[in-house]
């Protein structure tokens, strides 16, 4: 890279003029932001805001996903010098994406956390921006869903995970990353027959009524077959996609709190996510990245790649909606 670029392309998180553009900043230096986007609280005209939720006090086993957002931001610095692979869209050039920073919350007041997170997400959605969140443990998706359902109504959930997270728990005050989708179903945030879990490989006697494409089934078919099953289930309904990094096999994502063998490869996950292009994605998250259990950094890299695929899915849907609007007018 020419010296001139090396002089101008530094700390893009705060020096970028305008919201769009690639970044040629050294991957190993500079102030962190997701994909070297502007790190800002200004949401005027933003298409998609990325926000971190560094909360991990709902875990059943190993904590540490509070370090997830920072690790994903760092891992993402490897990507913004190229257009995303395998897409006909480049969100970094064609859409206004910002890093809105992390949720502020009192780590010692856990009971106050859910409402604080719902308010945070509602605040972003009210600006007309989409939201891509980084956990944190998987509990964070529950308060996030509440804000999305206020705006979009009951939602089709596309849920990548080793675990169903629908273990019965009728105490609505409990904050547990294994039971929040049971509660979300009970609150009717999720439409069961328009929702699907992918990569499951743990037992749960409770049948939530949502579709399941368990890990062995994913392994027995191609990624595009899995994607087309998901598309048939969600149809054109507004979709929220939640990507628990432990849907991946521990060989690909060891840095997580509750790993289970027999999971998806990163290639399978990438293939499925790309083939989901065309779904009506209104929001998404990547959760359960706990970088400290992974000296290689592969888990955070997988998280950053999943996040970029989700960004592409979101922007593809946004482009289609804007073109439809243009055709109607
Ligand atoms: Mn989960
Ligand atoms: Mn899980």
């Amino acid at each position: 890279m020419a010296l001139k670029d090396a002089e101008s392309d530094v700390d893009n998180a705060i020096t970028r003029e305008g919201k769009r553009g690639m970044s040629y900043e050294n991957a190993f230096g500079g102030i962190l932001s997701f994909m070297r986007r502007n790190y800002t609280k200004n949401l005027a005209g933003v298409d998609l805001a990325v926000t971190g939720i560094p909360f991990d006090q709902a875990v059943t086993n190993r904590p540490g996903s509070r370090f997830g957002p920072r690790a994903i931001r760092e891992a993402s610095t490897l990507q913004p010098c190229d257009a995303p692979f395998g897409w006909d869209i480049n969100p970094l050039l064609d859409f206004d994406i910002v890093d809105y920073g992390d949720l502020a919350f009192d780590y010692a007041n856990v009971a106050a956390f859910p409402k604080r997170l719902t308010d945070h997400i509602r605040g972003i959605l009210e600006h007309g921006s989409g939201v891509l969140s980084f956990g944190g443990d998987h509990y964070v998706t529950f308060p996030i869903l509440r804000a999305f359902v206020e705006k979009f109504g009951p939602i089709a959930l596309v849920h990548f995970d080793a675990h169903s997270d629908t273990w019965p728990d009728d105490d609505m005050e409990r904050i547990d990353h294994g039971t929040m989708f049971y509660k979300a179903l009970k609150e009717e945030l999720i439409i069961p027959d328009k929702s699907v879990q992918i990569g499951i490989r743990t037992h749960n006697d409770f049948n939530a009524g949502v579709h399941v494409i368990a890990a062995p089934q994913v392994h027995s078919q191609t990624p595009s077959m899995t994607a087309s099953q998901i598309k048939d289930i969600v149809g054109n309904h507004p979709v929220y996609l939640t990507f628990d990094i432990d849907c991946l096999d521990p060989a690909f994502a060891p840095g997580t709190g509750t790993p289970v063998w027999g999971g998806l490869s990163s290639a399978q996950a990438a293939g499925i996510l790309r083939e989901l292009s065309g779904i009506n994605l209104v929001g998404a998250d990547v959760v359960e990245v706990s970088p400290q259990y992974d000296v290689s950094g592969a888990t955070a890299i997988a998280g950053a790649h999943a996040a970029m695929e989700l960004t592409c899915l979101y922007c593809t849907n946004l482009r289609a909606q804007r073109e439809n609007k243009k055709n109607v007018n």
Side-chain angles (χ1 to χ4, degrees):
M1 196 57 63
L3 183 59
K4 188 174 181 308
D5 288 333
E7 286 173 348
S8 57
D9 287 314
V10 67
D11 296 329
N12 279 171
I14 56 169
T15 60
R16 177 182 297 285
E17 288 176 21
K19 299 184 187 71
R20 301 183 185 188
M22 309 305 285
S23 176
Y24 303 99
E25 185 169 349
N26 285 336
F28 47 84
I31 297 171
L32 294 178
S33 66
F34 178 63
M35 292 287 171
R36 303 296 198 189
R37 299 304 91 187
N38 274 151
Y39 204 98
T40 178
K41 301 298 176 192
N42 181 1
L43 291 172
V46 167
D47 294 317
L48 180 64
V50 174
T51 187
I53 319 294
F55 172 90
D56 66 3
Q57 282 156 281
V59 297
T60 49
N61 189 35
R62 304 188 293 194
S65 58
R66 66 179 60 185
F67 301 109
R70 192 179 282 169
I72 292 171
R73 286 188 177 100
E74 183 171 2
S76 79
T77 64
L78 284 165
Q79 293 183 60
C81 55
D82 294 311
F85 177 79
W87 288 87
D88 71 345
I89 193 168
N90 186 349
L92 302 181
L93 285 184
D94 299 332
F95 292 87
D96 292 334
I97 301 170
V98 300
D99 190 326
Y100 188 62
D102 289 345
L103 170 72
F105 64 99
D106 179 354
Y107 62 87
N109 191 352
V110 178
F113 170 78
K115 182 179 180 305
R116 188 153 187 103
L117 174 51
T118 302
D119 292 348
H120 176 73
I121 300 297
R122 182 192 303 115
I124 302 173
L125 290 173
E126 279 173 352
H127 278 84
S129 167
V131 191
L132 170 62
S133 304
F134 300 148
D137 69 52
H138 212 166
Y139 179 81
V140 304
T141 305
F142 183 31
I144 292 172
L145 276 180
R146 283 179 173 149
F148 271 88
V149 170
E150 285 173 14
K151 179 162 181 175
F152 296 99
I155 220 148
L157 187 73
V158 174
H159 171 199
F160 287 81
D161 206 324
H163 313 89
S164 62
D165 297 344
T166 56
W167 282 279
D169 177 358
D170 288 308
D171 179 350
M172 296 301 279
E173 305 304 314
R174 286 190 69 256
I175 294 176
D176 184 330
H177 79 153
T179 67
M180 70 286 168
F181 291 138
Y182 176 87
K183 292 170 184 171
L185 285 158
K186 210 170 156 180
E187 274 192 22
E188 299 183 349
L189 305 180
I190 300 167
I191 306 169
D193 68 353
K194 288 198 180 304
S195 297
V196 55
Q197 301 173 325
I198 304 103
I200 303 294
R201 51 196 188 278
T202 47
H203 181 77
N204 181 355
D205 278 324
F206 174 71
N207 181 346
V210 303
H211 299 267
V212 177
I213 308 175
Q217 191 180 343
V218 176
H219 292 311
S220 73
Q221 58 193 22
T222 63
S224 46
M225 284 162 77
T226 301
S228 97
Q229 287 167 343
I230 298 168
K231 282 176 148 176
D232 286 345
I233 290 163
V234 302
N236 206 28
H237 204 80
V239 170
Y240 186 90
L241 194 155
T242 182
F243 193 91
D244 183 331
I245 203 76
D246 73 27
C247 73
L248 301 179
D249 192 85
F252 298 91
T256 194
T258 44
V260 185
W261 74 340
L264 276 57
S265 69
S266 50
Q268 284 171 310
I272 296 167
L273 290 174
R274 275 169 212 158
E275 296 279 340
L276 285 179
S277 180
I279 61 170
N280 184 10
L281 187 73
V282 296
D285 60 50
V286 178
V287 297
E288 300 283 0
V289 171
S290 294
Q292 68 278 14
Y293 305 115
D294 174 5
V295 292
S296 75
T299 312
I301 290 168
H305 277 294
M308 191 56 193
E309 298 299 316
L310 295 172
T311 300
C312 291
L313 279 176
Y314 182 82
C315 291
T316 299
N317 187 36
L318 199 57
R319 179 177 66 181
Q321 288 184 353
R322 285 175 181 170
E323 278 166 10
N324 281 346
K325 220 180 213 170
K326 230 188 283 169
N327 292 340
V328 170
N329 291 343

